[in-house]
Amino acid sequence: MHIINDFKTADIQHKSSAEECLFDQWMKDRPGVDFIRDGIVDEPEFNSISPRIVFVLKDTDGGRFDLREFLFVGAWNGKSGFGDESHTWGPVRRVLGKLARSAGWAFPPDKHKTLRMISAINVKKESGGVQCPDWKLAEAAEKDGDYIYKQLGLYKDKKTIFISCRTFQHVLKVLQNRTEVQECEYKNRSFVSFFGNCTLFESGHHPQGANSAVWDENIVKTVEAIKDWFRENES
């Protein structure tokens, strides 16, 4: 994940208190680590859409900071402006716009506020380099599996779709080692269901390296299928 260090820190009033408490404990168990807090950017905004959307990524690139604050200001770095289409959050913002049009969500027209509607979770909480080797991701998922599971569990109160960006197998292993996971095939789309209200699917790429048309279509079509699956299983 591409991050630029020199952004102005936002004063967020609506972080998730449950995630804050979890991170406090998590950091105590990882002394000396440049721990990156992530998750829900703005809890009221996040809860205003259904199903809720969570992007599950590998790690950050850019030192110690709070990812939620970076996203609250629209991935604004203070010098270069908003992340463009070649960076992580430009593609995420773009696909969110397509999801909003497809689902009829009232996403804000001001693009720097769009990212307040989501949650973004990194499997590896320690900042890394430009690329995160798969073995490092596997190591982080193994070492912090219990905490990752607890963070995922904070979302089980409402329908939530987790969109994996090259992290699917690691997150799936964390879940399978700790709870029941149902493999689903619906309208030619594959995903897993867990906690009753939660689903997880692989987007196919990291946003920064994605073929935009293929990546966008896969996410939009899979989210649409999962929404229909939720409705069918309610009846």
Side-chain angles (χ1 to χ4, degrees):
M1 180 190 299
H2 183 84
I3 294 293
I4 304 172
N5 282 313
D6 54 346
F7 66 93
K8 183 179 179 180
T9 300
D11 180 18
I12 305 178
Q13 301 297 321
H14 301 297
K15 296 176 182 177
S16 163
S17 59
E19 281 184 321
E20 286 289 272
C21 290
L22 177 64
F23 294 150
D24 288 344
Q25 182 58 51
W26 202 332
M27 289 179 70
K28 287 179 183 178
D29 286 349
R30 298 288 178 264
V33 170
D34 285 337
F35 189 94
I36 310 297
R37 293 178 182 241
D38 55 26
I40 298 171
V41 178
D42 185 312
E43 196 162 33
E45 296 288 346
F46 179 65
N47 287 324
S48 70
I49 62 173
S50 181
R52 304 176 303 184
I53 299 295
V54 181
F55 284 85
V56 187
L57 302 108
K58 294 181 177 182
D59 66 359
T60 60
D61 171 24
R64 186 172 182 173
F65 65 103
D66 190 317
L67 179 61
R68 299 164 299 181
E69 296 178 356
F70 183 70
L71 298 183
F72 187 83
V73 295
W76 170 266
N77 66 21
K79 287 186 178 180
S80 303
F82 296 106
D84 61 30
E85 296 305 299
S86 67
H87 295 155
T88 299
W89 301 109
V92 169
R93 188 183 293 110
R94 183 188 66 238
V95 80
L96 286 173
K98 293 182 179 181
L99 284 173
R101 289 190 292 273
S102 169
W105 292 331
F107 268 40
D110 187 346
K111 72 176 185 178
H112 82 275
K113 295 181 179 179
T114 305
L115 297 175
R116 299 179 187 181
M117 311 288 286
I118 66 167
S119 172
I121 293 176
N122 288 310
V123 172
K124 180 172 167 282
K125 300 301 191 202
E126 186 176 3
S127 183
V130 176
Q131 293 185 339
C132 177
D134 198 63
W135 68 266
K136 280 192 174 181
L137 200 63
E139 183 179 73
E142 177 68 25
K143 179 176 65 177
D144 286 336
D146 287 341
Y147 280 115
I148 294 170
Y149 179 74
K150 288 178 182 178
Q151 186 175 13
L152 297 175
L154 297 177
Y155 294 80
K156 65 184 178 182
D157 60 321
K158 296 180 181 178
K159 293 182 179 64
T160 305
I161 299 175
F162 293 83
I163 302 173
S164 166
C165 301
R166 303 298 296 274
T167 58
F168 181 84
Q169 293 301 326
H170 302 291
V171 178
L172 180 61
K173 185 177 180 180
V174 167
L175 290 168
Q176 288 176 329
N177 287 341
R178 294 165 177 83
T179 192
E180 182 179 350
V181 177
Q182 177 187 356
E183 295 185 7
C184 304
E185 187 79 23
Y186 187 81
K187 293 188 175 180
N188 296 317
R189 297 287 160 173
S190 299
F191 54 94
V192 297
S193 171
F194 58 100
F195 297 154
N197 276 330
C198 296
T199 61
L200 169 74
F201 73 91
E202 175 55 57
S203 68
H205 297 278
H206 183 280
Q208 192 170 347
N211 177 309
S212 60
V214 174
W215 191 71
D216 291 4
E217 182 180 14
N218 182 39
I219 290 178
V220 171
K221 294 296 185 184
T222 306
V223 168
E224 287 176 346
I226 292 174
K227 287 173 61 181
D228 289 344
W229 180 83
F230 274 135
R231 283 192 289 265
E232 185 174 296
N233 282 273
E234 284 178 343
S235 56

